[in-house]
Amino acid sequence: MNKLNQEEKDLLDSFENEEWQSVGDATRLQQIQSYAKATLAKDKKITLRLSSLDLEAIQTRAIEEGIPYQTLISSILHKFVTGRLVESQD
């Protein structure tokens, strides 16, 4: 098993002590369920070439999100083709 850092230990302890409460946001739940269905409904395999820098950035972002990088790529593509990927207004 992987060793947890202090922040991860604190989060796990907090969760196990039932200190977390659901926000009960039905819209967010539907959105997450939609992402899960889209991610799980994989019926085609593709090969994709990316620059090393782009792949490393995607992998880093996936780690931050707590998901596999392939899932992140699939999610980004799904959001793009459904018109839900929007430019940041930074």
Side-chain angles (χ1 to χ4, degrees):
M1 183 170 165
N2 295 332
K3 289 188 175 185
L4 302 178
N5 65 32
Q6 189 58 47
E7 181 181 11
E8 293 167 330
K9 289 177 187 177
D10 292 343
L11 286 170
L12 182 58
D13 289 342
S14 174
F15 177 77
E16 288 176 344
N17 291 330
E18 298 182 8
E19 296 172 2
W20 293 51
Q21 294 182 358
S22 174
V23 294
D25 184 346
T27 302
R28 179 68 175 144
L29 179 59
Q30 288 176 343
Q31 183 182 37
I32 292 169
Q33 288 174 335
S34 170
Y35 295 158
K37 284 181 183 178
T39 300
L40 295 174
K42 297 175 184 173
D43 60 353
K44 299 287 181 184
K45 182 178 178 178
I46 66 167
T47 300
L48 178 68
R49 294 194 182 274
L50 299 173
S51 73
S52 295
L53 292 177
D54 286 345
L55 180 58
E56 288 173 16
I58 289 170
Q59 289 173 325
T60 299
R61 187 64 174 268
I63 289 169
E64 291 169 358
E65 298 291 325
I67 59 175
Y69 75 92
Q70 298 97 329
T71 301
L72 178 60
I73 293 169
S74 179
S75 175
I76 292 167
L77 291 172
H78 177 72
K79 288 177 186 178
F80 178 77
V81 299
T82 59
R84 293 187 300 179
L85 187 66
V86 296
E87 276 190 62
S88 175
Q89 301 298 320
D90 293 337

